[in-house]
Amino acid sequence: MGEPARKIDIIDARPDFTQEDADALNARFEGVHASDMLKTLFEEGNLGEVAVVSSFGTESAVLLDLVAKADPSIPVTFVDTLRMFPETLEYRETLIKTLGIQNANVVKPDPVVLAAKDGNELRWSFDPDGCCEIRKVEPLARAKAKLNSWISGRKAFQSATRQNLPRFEVEDGRLKINPLGDWVKEDLDAYFEEHDLPRHPLEAQGYLSVGCAPCTSKVKPGEDPRAGRWRGWDKTECGIHEDVTPLPSADEDENSANDPIF
């Protein structure tokens, strides 16, 4: 008998998720409450390696509570830029304990990179994009390298740059989930009240969106919640979020491209 055919090793370079997958999920979970959506996704187990990325900011408790109630073992990743408010670090500990988060982890900037590119810790004052890159974007990229999907706390109402935010997007082949994408501030406030969630200690002082201490200021009446971030700079995001991929229109969906995949 001849020898069996040799199997050829093939590297599967296909992305974990495609835009078609995201479109299908957006259609499947349209109108479904975020809590039910998360519970279903976790139970079905089709997300691969998944984690929540949380800033532990003024609105973070809502998403973290929803995730913890659905599955408290889901990892929660926090990027400590080493320039955070002490109140944020304390708030993180409070939420971990209060919500029963079982798998909280921290990622930090590379000390070698910091020494080379921000030795005097003043890069934020003349190059905020570069500062975000080494203190937040690169550390988070390391944390996401092992993930197939991740959960974000972005919401469309927070600023004009986040309008038309879908619940599901695809970035670099990973599924990005925005469970609160269609929530408004009134929804968040009602959830805080109903579930008696602790508030970020800086919120009462006028900090409606909290990031690194040097680049965060109080929000003035009538401004959008993120107006206090990088005030005076033509900058609205730290860099971990790409441009929004809007939901498809009804005409674009007429060929059943959004049929559920799972």
Side-chain angles (χ1 to χ4, degrees):
M1 295 180 62
E3 294 183 2
R6 182 172 65 87
K7 293 184 178 180
I8 300 175
D9 293 329
I10 299 176
I11 298 176
D12 189 352
R14 293 174 298 178
D16 295 318
F17 294 93
T18 66
Q19 186 58 47
E20 287 72 21
D21 295 329
D23 292 342
L25 287 165
N26 280 316
R28 177 186 177 188
F29 289 104
E30 183 177 1
V32 177
H33 193 276
S35 60
D36 297 325
M37 181 189 78
L38 288 169
K39 184 177 181 180
T40 298
L41 290 171
F42 297 154
E43 288 178 346
E44 291 181 346
N46 292 318
L47 299 177
E49 292 294 326
V50 59
V52 182
V53 175
S54 178
S55 66
F56 287 87
T58 56
E59 299 164 351
S60 297
V62 173
L63 176 60
L64 293 174
D65 187 61
L66 288 167
V67 171
K69 281 182 167 61
D71 185 345
S73 71
I74 297 297
V76 176
T77 297
F78 170 66
V79 180
D80 183 356
T81 65
L82 306 179
R83 303 307 304 271
M84 311 303 293
F85 285 96
E87 291 87 346
T88 295
L89 301 180
E90 295 169 4
Y91 187 52
R92 175 178 177 270
E93 296 301 323
T94 296
L95 290 183
I96 290 172
K97 181 178 180 180
T98 302
L99 305 181
I101 296 171
Q102 298 175 2
N103 190 357
N105 52 81
V106 178
V107 61
K108 297 181 180 180
D110 184 331
V112 174
V113 174
L114 286 184
K117 297 187 176 182
D118 195 18
N120 60 7
E121 298 188 349
L122 291 175
R123 194 177 189 97
W124 65 270
S125 66
F126 62 89
D127 180 21
D129 284 337
C131 189
C132 286
E133 176 65 30
I134 61 177
R135 290 184 177 273
K136 195 164 188 177
V137 178
E138 190 280 328
L140 183 56
R142 278 189 273 117
K144 290 194 301 181
K146 61 183 179 181
L147 300 179
N148 306 107
S149 53
W150 63 292
I151 302 170
S152 159
R154 285 196 304 173
K155 292 160 282 289
F157 83 90
Q158 289 174 320
S159 70
T161 61
R162 296 185 173 188
Q163 295 300 309
N164 301 316
L165 182 67
R167 280 187 168 183
F168 298 90
E169 305 174 272
V170 173
E171 286 184 359
D172 300 324
R174 295 186 189 89
L175 186 67
K176 183 176 180 180
I177 307 168
N178 306 303
L180 306 182
D182 57 353
W183 285 42
V184 296
K185 190 175 188 308
E186 289 74 18
D187 298 327
L188 296 170
D189 290 339
Y191 193 95
F192 265 101
E193 182 72 21
E194 179 182 355
H195 297 275
D196 193 27
L197 298 179
R199 294 278 190 170
H200 194 295
L202 291 177
E203 184 175 9
Q205 300 180 34
Y207 295 90
L208 303 188
S209 179
V210 178
C212 294
C215 297
T216 302
S217 60
K218 297 179 181 180
V219 173
K220 301 173 184 178
E223 292 183 320
D224 74 55
R226 290 179 61 82
R229 304 290 292 276
W230 306 285
R231 190 178 294 280
W233 291 90
D234 183 18
K235 179 176 173 64
T236 58
E237 298 282 0
C238 63
I240 66 172
H241 298 296
E242 298 179 2
D243 291 338
V244 170
T245 301
L247 291 167
S249 66
D251 292 339
E252 293 171 334
D253 192 34
E254 62 184 6
N255 61 357
S256 301
N258 288 336
D259 287 345
I261 57 170
F262 58 79

